Amino acid sequence: MHLTKVRVVRNALDANDTIARENREDFDREGVTVVNLMSSPGAGKTTLLERALHDLGGVRPGVLEGDVRGCLDADRIAELHIPVAQIETGEGFGGECHLDANMVRSALPSVPLEEIDLLVIENVGNLVCPAEFHVGEDYRVMITSVTEGEDKPLKYPLMFRACDLVIVNKIDLLPHLELDLDKLLDNVEAVHPGVERLLVSARTGEGMDEVRDWLVRAATRERVPA
Amino acid sequence: MHLTKVRVVRNALDANDTIARENREDFDREGVTVVNLMSSPGAGKTTLLERALHDLGGVRPGVLEGDVRGCLDADRIAELHIPVAQIETGEGFGGECHLDANMVRSALPSVPLEEIDLLVIENVGNLVCPAEFHVGEDYRVMITSVTEGEDKPLKYPLMFRACDLVIVNKIDLLPHLELDLDKLLDNVEAVHPGVERLLVSARTGEGMDEVRDWLVRAATRERVPA
């Protein structure tokens, strides 16, 4: 029973990776760098994007929003007057807890790849499954909020290991929390040694210049074909 | 493809419900009330339990901890000198993002049901999948932290609809946030009209008497057999 389950999951991941490669080829053809942005619900993905996706030195951004239900985040991003498309994962069943390559593929006709240089895919808020499904991205970025506690890297190691950048958000709240920031950073280092980290407050703007610099570097870096 | 997938999921849920009923029969036989506690990662489930699971007026509590990796939470609960067992969902694949009835069933030999009246099952931190899997519980309780924003009920409606009690945690941070608490409560009401709500700070203890009262009432209420 256990073996069967693992085999089914493995097949599903293989099928996902095939579609992810097709997505990646489309992105490469159009010269679009793709960032898969992941976090817990409410860690500040959308607020971070509202703050980050302007003044990118000529890099033209676009956003693909993933949510179980609704288009609240897409509406917020649309205010920035940049291309945004929405994937709603909540059809049928109780809603998928992550984006997969096929969901992204089905949304691509709504994304004007020829008009953008950087596509940020905002995943469903979840620290487990999004890390298991490649969608054709060049980079994976995760946000951990200081309100979530020091222990999250140890409890959700795959997510912290799967990403190229860890953004520690809501640092404006540090004076009001008992969080040990050094311990959080030590835990990040323990599960993903050497991973790049940025400390920010998307609300106050602290550290957001560094996030924009990172995005510009990602979008203009020599790209490795899929 | 889509139909096949839905059928597989449906079968999986049917199989889960069968095992959940077996769990429930075991709980009923021992007179144990079971609460399935769910939230995002870092919303404060363990801290709430540390605060709540004492002075329960003769009700003897126990805890079953679910985590992708590690036993940090179980270690914290063990400090309370009450029975605690750990389910680690991270075997094989990247880790299950929820508890299901079979995982709970496999842990039951480690739970001294005859020594407790109330079993709290702390689910994996996730606002999507845990709501889809009954584990044999009498009640479902979810925690939403004020740091997660007002929009979570609209974005994760199944979770808010599936529960018998919504605990709004971290209210001590309200002065430091831009959160509109009325709007959050309106959104809860919109997706689950009439659901009971408690506003608390597990950190300062505000509102925790009401949580303990709720748990005592749940554990001593006339029980409806499965």
Side-chain angles (χ1 to χ4, degrees):
Chain A
M1 182 67 186
H2 187 58
L3 279 172
T4 304
K5 184 179 170 201
V6 170
R7 198 170 62 232
V8 169
V9 168
R10 182 50 55 198
N11 286 348
L13 283 181
D14 287 347
N16 182 75
D17 284 351
T18 299
I19 302 172
R21 275 193 296 274
E22 292 173 13
N23 291 347
R24 180 71 178 266
E25 284 164 13
D26 287 358
F27 299 142
D28 283 344
R29 191 178 310 117
E30 300 288 348
V32 176
T33 297
V34 178
V35 171
N36 184 355
L37 182 62
M38 305 180 282
S39 80
S40 297
K45 292 183 294 302
T46 312
T47 303
L48 185 107
L49 292 181
E50 287 175 321
R51 280 277 185 171
L53 298 184
H54 55 80
D55 300 327
L56 291 176
V59 170
R60 300 165 302 168
V63 175
L64 187 51
E65 284 289 344
D67 274 308
V68 176
R69 186 64 52 85
C71 54
L72 294 169
D73 292 347
D75 290 345
R76 287 169 63 187
I77 297 299
E79 300 271 318
L80 302 177
H81 303 293
I82 62 175
V84 56
Q86 174 81 46
I87 300 173
E88 214 183 12
T89 72
E91 300 256 321
F93 196 40
E96 291 289 342
C97 62
H98 59 275
L99 294 180
D100 65 25
N102 197 43
M103 293 181 213
V104 169
R105 186 137 201 88
S106 64
L108 286 189
S110 307
V111 180
L113 293 178
E114 66 288 358
E115 297 174 18
I116 62 176
D117 308 301
L118 171 70
L119 178 65
V120 180
I121 300 176
E122 185 181 332
N123 219 306
V124 177
N126 182 346
L127 285 188
V128 187
C129 301
E132 293 162 358
F133 291 85
H134 287 275
V135 296
E137 69 273 42
D138 299 275
Y139 300 100
R140 297 170 139 198
V141 175
M142 72 90 56
I143 304 177
T144 188
S145 150
V146 294
T147 59
E148 294 168 47
E150 300 96 350
D151 57 355
K152 294 303 160 293
L154 305 181
K155 293 170 75 175
Y156 303 89
L158 180 67
M159 173 61 73
F160 284 82
R161 261 184 220 131
C163 63
D164 303 291
L165 172 66
V166 174
I167 296 177
V168 179
N169 192 20
K170 306 194 188 181
I171 60 169
D172 57 296
L173 293 176
L174 282 172
H176 313 296
L177 303 173
E178 285 155 27
L179 184 99
D180 182 337
L181 182 60
D182 289 335
K183 194 167 169 192
L184 171 60
L185 297 176
D186 286 349
N187 287 341
V188 171
E189 184 70 16
V191 300
H192 190 163
V195 68
E196 198 170 352
R197 300 160 333 189
L198 295 175
L199 307 188
V200 314
S201 166
R203 183 165 72 158
T204 67
E206 187 176 351
M208 289 305 299
D209 287 344
E210 286 74 17
V211 173
R212 273 190 295 276
D213 288 348
W214 192 95
L215 290 171
V216 169
R217 283 202 313 276
T220 55
R221 209 168 284 172
E222 192 70 31
R223 307 187 65 243
V224 183
Chain B
M1 184 65 184
H2 186 61
L3 278 172
T4 305
K5 184 180 172 202
V6 168
R7 197 171 61 231
V8 169
V9 167
R10 181 51 53 198
N11 287 348
L13 283 181
D14 287 349
N16 183 75
D17 284 352
T18 299
I19 301 171
R21 273 192 297 275
E22 293 173 13
N23 291 347
R24 180 70 178 267
E25 284 164 12
D26 286 358
F27 298 141
D28 283 344
R29 191 178 311 116
E30 300 288 348
V32 176
T33 297
V34 177
V35 171
N36 184 356
L37 181 63
M38 304 180 284
S39 79
S40 297
K45 294 184 291 302
T46 312
T47 304
L48 186 107
L49 292 181
E50 286 176 321
R51 280 279 186 170
L53 296 185
H54 54 81
D55 298 326
L56 291 175
V59 171
R60 300 165 302 168
V63 174
L64 188 51
E65 284 288 344
D67 275 307
V68 175
R69 188 64 51 86
C71 54
L72 294 169
D73 292 348
D75 289 345
R76 288 168 63 186
I77 297 299
E79 300 272 317
L80 302 178
H81 304 291
I82 62 176
V84 56
Q86 175 80 45
I87 300 174
E88 215 182 12
T89 71
E91 300 257 322
F93 197 40
E96 291 289 341
C97 62
H98 59 274
L99 294 179
D100 65 23
N102 197 43
M103 293 181 215
V104 169
R105 186 137 201 89
S106 64
L108 286 189
S110 307
V111 181
L113 293 178
E114 67 287 359
E115 295 174 18
I116 63 176
D117 307 300
L118 170 70
L119 177 65
V120 180
I121 300 176
E122 186 180 331
N123 218 307
V124 177
N126 182 347
L127 285 188
V128 186
C129 302
E132 293 163 357
F133 290 84
H134 287 274
V135 296
E137 70 272 43
D138 299 275
Y139 300 100
R140 297 170 138 199
V141 174
M142 70 92 57
I143 303 178
T144 189
S145 148
V146 294
T147 60
E148 294 170 46
E150 301 96 348
D151 57 356
K152 294 303 158 293
L154 305 180
K155 292 171 76 174
Y156 303 89
L158 180 67
M159 174 60 75
F160 284 82
R161 262 186 219 126
C163 64
D164 303 292
L165 171 66
V166 173
I167 295 178
V168 179
N169 192 21
K170 307 194 188 181
I171 60 170
D172 57 295
L173 293 175
L174 281 172
H176 313 296
L177 303 173
E178 285 155 27
L179 184 100
D180 182 338
L181 182 61
D182 288 337
K183 195 168 168 191
L184 170 60
L185 297 176
D186 285 350
N187 288 341
V188 171
E189 184 69 18
V191 300
H192 192 162
V195 67
E196 197 169 354
R197 302 164 325 196
L198 294 176
L199 307 188
V200 316
S201 166
R203 183 165 69 157
T204 67
E206 188 176 350
M208 289 304 299
D209 285 345
E210 287 72 18
V211 172
R212 274 190 293 274
D213 286 348
W214 192 96
L215 290 171
V216 169
R217 283 202 314 277
T220 54
R221 210 170 283 170
E222 191 69 35
R223 309 189 62 244
V224 184

